[in-house]
Amino acid sequence: MAPTYFDPLATDPGQARDVARWRRAERTRLSGLRDGLGQTGRALVSDQIGAHLGAVLAERGAGRGAGRQPVLSGYWPIKGEPDLRPILAALHRSGVTIALPVVETRAAPLVFRRWTPETKMVRGDWNIPVPPPDFDVLTPDISLAPCLGWTDDCFRLGWGGGYFDRTLAILAPRPLTIGIALAMAHLPTIYPQPHDIPLDLILTEDGVAATRTDR
C-alpha cells in the first residue's frame, strides 16, 4: 500500500481490513528477519542494544546513585526479542527499581510488578514468565517496548495485542517510552490508526535511531 492511501483518522472498514492484512504480513516478514540472525546474532544485537540503553539512561541520571532513581519497566524476551536482562540486572544493582509488565486482565491495560534478578517467576499469559501476584505494583517512569518494526516518527509495530497502547493511554504522567528494535526492522510507515501511540525514542543496535520531537 502507498502511504498516501491511508488516512489515520478514517474509519472506513475496508481500509482498516487492508491495514490489518498488511500488518499481519509484515509481522511474519519481520519475525523471519529476526530468526535469521540465529542465536549468536541475536546475542550480539542484545549486547549492543544493552550498551546503548545504559548510555541513554545514564544521560538521564539512572543508575548514578544520586537522588531518586527511576522505576524502569523492562520486558521478558520472547520470540527472539533482544534480551536485556543483563542490563536490567546491572541497573537493579545500581539502585534503579525494575518492573515487568503483566497481563492481569485480557484486552485491558498492563500492570507493572517489581522484579529483581532473584525473583522466582511464575507463568503468566501466553506462558510468559512474570513476577508473582503478591509483588508490588509500580508505575514506571521509563518504559521499554520491544518492537517488531519501527518508523522514523517513533511508531511501533508489535504483535498486535494492543496492550502497550492501552497502557500508555491511561498512564499519567506518561513514562518516557523507549522502543527496542533491530535496525533492519525500519518501516516507512505502519499506517497508524487512531489508537496507535508513538513512542519517544527508538533504540537499535546502532544507537538512537529515531526521536519524537513533538512531545
Side-chain angles (χ1 to χ4, degrees), residues 20 25 31 37 72 90 102 120 122 139 156 158-159 166 170 201:
S31 179
L37 290 174
L72 169 69
V102 179
K120 188 171 182 179
V122 299
T139 300
R156 164 187 180 264
W159 288 107
R166 291 188 192 97
I170 67 162
L201 300 173

Side-chain angles (χ1 to χ4, degrees), residues 72-174:
L72 169 69
S73 70
Y75 61 87
W76 195 271
I78 62 170
K79 300 181 180 180
E81 291 169 346
D83 185 355
L84 301 183
R85 286 175 293 181
I87 184 67
L88 295 181
L91 288 165
H92 165 74
R93 290 191 296 270
S94 69
V96 176
T97 299
I98 307 296
L100 294 182
V102 179
V103 175
E104 285 193 339
T105 304
R106 289 287 182 95
L110 299 162
V111 299
F112 300 90
R113 294 182 192 157
R114 184 186 294 271
W115 174 86
T116 75
E118 294 76 33
T119 297
K120 188 171 182 179
M121 307 288 272
V122 299
R123 292 288 174 177
D125 263 27
W126 304 288
N127 283 323
I128 299 173
V130 298
D134 59 344
F135 273 42
D136 293 341
V137 173
L138 306 172
T139 300
D141 301 298
I142 304 170
S143 186
L144 308 183
C147 306
L148 267 172
W150 60 277
T151 69
D152 289 334
D153 46 3
C154 291
F155 279 103
R156 164 187 180 264
L157 183 66
W159 288 107
Y163 285 98
F164 203 76
D165 290 316
R166 291 188 192 97
T167 306
L168 287 183
I170 67 162
L171 286 178
R174 178 180 149 163

